[in-house]
Amino acid sequence: MTIASYSAHRQDFPAARWRADFPLLQRSVRGQPLAYLDNAATTQKPQAVIDAEARYYREINANIHRGVHWLSEQATAAHEGARERVRSFLNARETAEIIFVRGTTEAINLVAQSYGRANLGPGDEVLITGLEHHSNIVPWQMLCAQTGAVLKVATLDDTGSVRMDEFRRLLGARTRLVAVAHVSNALGTINPVREMIELAHAQGVPVLVDGAQAVAHTPVDVQALDCDFYAFSGHKLYAPTGIGALYGRRALLEAMPPWQGGGDMIRTVSFEGSTWNDLPFKFEAGTPHIAGAIGLGAAIDYLSEVGLEAVAAYEHELLVYGTALLQEIPGLRMIGTAAHKAAILSFVIDGLHAHDIGTVLDTEGVAIRAGHHCAMPVMEHFGVPATARASLAFYNTREDLDRLAQALRRAVEMFVR
């Protein structure tokens, strides 16, 4: 599709309406209207989420679960109501399968240190892919160092897609866990996670899915996927930082030992020994991020109003438009050209370092990410030290992408010609 034909394409999605709900998007940066294109790093927050978090502190601030006074009861109800929103959002079977964590990183570490240390030994294998964020690499390296297990990696092809023939070959008799990204944060590649899960389950191997880059862009149904664990972060879902969730099958969570001790994860404590609380509290030691959980629930409510299917369709249109725009820029090369992609545009420009690109764009009020994106093996695979990455959300517009392209042309003129 050409730029001209795309520009004539009718767009029904009311991006401008939703954009107005985000206070930060109304501000100027360096004297320019803000074009925020760094959503894979973190999303902006709608007023509804800001208000929900502030309302907790203003009206019902109290610790939860243990109090018998009115404020504690209200705070507990709001916190557990947010857990139910997460359950419904992921279509988990019950709230006992939803563990609140600080984010995807903590969720993966929880599984590595609880399930992994209890079930892996010398010579056992963990299978991941070459697409993974560092948070889905380093915890498994640490686990392997602790247990004597071995980390196996299914590599990528030239488009940034996982070589499924290699994935099948590496999925062997010693594989004890598969951990894969749903969507690559560095490239936007959408993994065939349903197929990966079916292949692993055929050999009795559980699967963890890193959903950090998926949940804000497409509907996720953990029962339909049939995954064993699913992890995501709130701050990439228009919710506050420092909150996220881990879905786990009840049978697996019941069998797993606690990861951290203290606070709400206990049933009884004596100097001779302690016993553990029921799920999900067994994995939630200490006072949780109550306001963050409430904000996450509000973000899910808001995104449900927008409609994830409509979001997915609109963001794909932006991806097509943005890809066509960038391909017209002299010396620009797209990194990651998988057939199935989320709305991430990762690229390099001949003669320009990614950080220089990001700096020039910043002077134009265009915010992107420049670097290795916590995916250094991906950069190594493509033979580049870093990429510039524009990542889109449903509040972005074609005008944001026009400004991106205009600023990139200016960078080329300044540094290359």
Side-chain angles (χ1 to χ4, degrees):
M1 182 181 290
T2 66
I3 294 297
S5 63
Y6 187 87
S7 296
H9 180 65
R10 179 170 174 259
Q11 290 184 332
D12 295 322
F13 187 82
R17 169 196 165 191
W18 299 117
R19 188 183 183 95
D21 291 340
F22 292 78
L24 194 143
L25 297 178
Q26 314 311 314
R27 69 169 301 172
S28 298
V29 172
R30 303 194 188 280
Q32 302 282 348
L34 174 63
Y36 184 79
L37 300 171
D38 193 19
N39 296 286
T42 198
T43 54
Q44 298 305 326
K45 318 308 173 194
Q47 190 65 50
V49 170
I50 297 169
D51 289 346
E53 190 170 22
R55 191 179 305 115
Y56 162 75
Y57 286 120
R58 189 172 59 244
E59 298 179 5
I60 58 170
N61 179 44
N63 215 325
I64 60 173
H65 296 149
R66 294 181 290 275
V68 295
H69 57 82
W70 185 88
L71 285 176
S72 180
E73 291 174 349
Q74 295 298 306
T76 299
H79 183 267
E80 294 308 309
R83 194 190 307 273
E84 166 56 25
R85 287 172 173 82
V86 176
R87 183 213 64 76
S88 177
F89 183 64
L90 297 179
N91 193 33
R93 297 164 189 82
E94 52 182 323
T95 55
E97 296 181 319
I98 303 300
I99 313 298
F100 280 130
V101 290
R102 289 183 298 165
T104 308
T105 300
E106 183 170 77
I108 295 171
N109 276 276
L110 189 162
V111 175
Q113 292 302 307
S114 180
Y115 180 86
R117 292 188 73 173
N119 290 280
L120 274 73
D124 289 337
E125 297 173 357
V126 177
L127 176 57
I128 64 172
T129 80
L131 278 177
E132 305 308 322
H133 187 282
H134 294 167
S135 293
N136 203 30
I137 300 173
V138 177
W140 309 118
Q141 291 175 329
M142 295 170 66
L143 175 66
C144 289
Q146 293 163 346
T147 63
V150 179
L151 187 64
K152 297 288 185 176
V153 183
T155 59
L156 310 179
D157 64 19
D158 291 340
T159 72
S161 300
V162 175
R163 297 180 186 274
M164 287 302 294
D165 56 342
E166 186 169 290
F167 181 88
R168 293 185 187 91
R169 180 178 61 80
L170 291 174
L171 189 59
R174 297 307 301 269
T175 308
R176 296 292 178 266
L177 185 70
V178 170
V180 296
H182 198 159
V183 175
S184 163
N185 74 301
L187 307 178
T189 303
I190 301 173
N191 266 327
V193 289
R194 181 69 182 272
E195 179 185 359
M196 291 172 161
I197 292 166
E198 289 177 351
L199 290 168
H201 283 181
Q203 300 196 37
V205 178
V207 181
L208 177 145
V209 179
D210 170 357
Q213 296 295 334
V215 290
H217 307 286
T218 189
V220 172
D221 184 331
V222 294
Q223 292 192 66
L225 286 176
D226 199 28
C227 58
D228 302 281
F229 300 102
Y230 197 98
F232 74 90
S233 301
H235 73 98
K236 300 180 192 295
L237 188 69
Y238 312 100
T241 57
I243 188 69
L246 170 69
Y247 157 79
R249 290 185 191 274
R250 174 186 269 277
L252 292 175
L253 294 175
E254 290 278 14
M256 288 161 53
W259 179 36
Q260 296 176 320
D264 249 10
M265 57 76 64
I266 59 90
R267 182 179 300 281
T268 62
V269 174
S270 71
F271 291 120
E272 290 70 39
S274 302
T275 60
W276 316 135
N277 204 344
D278 296 331
L279 292 174
F281 312 113
K282 182 174 77 169
F283 293 103
E284 294 180 355
T287 298
H289 187 5
I290 304 167
I294 292 169
L296 175 57
I300 289 171
D301 288 345
Y302 180 84
L303 197 54
S304 297
E305 181 182 355
V306 179
L308 268 170
E309 291 185 355
V311 166
Y314 175 68
E315 290 180 354
H316 181 73
E317 291 183 352
L318 288 181
L319 174 65
V320 173
Y321 181 75
T323 300
L325 270 181
L326 296 192
Q327 287 176 335
E328 294 180 353
I329 295 172
L332 185 145
R333 176 165 58 98
M334 300 298 297
I335 303 295
T337 56
H340 301 288
K341 278 189 61 174
I344 290 177
L345 299 161
S346 198
F347 57 91
V348 295
I349 297 177
D350 294 340
L352 265 176
H353 193 280
H355 290 156
D356 292 330
I357 296 172
T359 299
V360 172
L361 266 56
D362 181 56
T363 66
E364 301 286 329
V366 179
I368 67 164
R369 180 68 48 151
H372 54 66
H373 316 299
C374 294
M376 293 178 75
V378 174
M379 302 299 114
E380 183 178 355
H381 172 79
F382 284 98
V384 296
T387 69
R389 183 190 69 188
S391 49
L392 310 177
F394 67 85
Y395 47 55
N396 288 124
T397 63
R398 286 180 293 165
E399 289 72 26
D400 289 334
L401 291 166
D402 291 338
R403 290 183 57 205
L404 169 67
Q406 181 181 12
L408 288 173
R409 290 183 183 278
R410 183 164 300 181
V412 170
E413 292 172 357
M414 289 176 58
F415 288 97
V416 179
R417 295 182 177 178

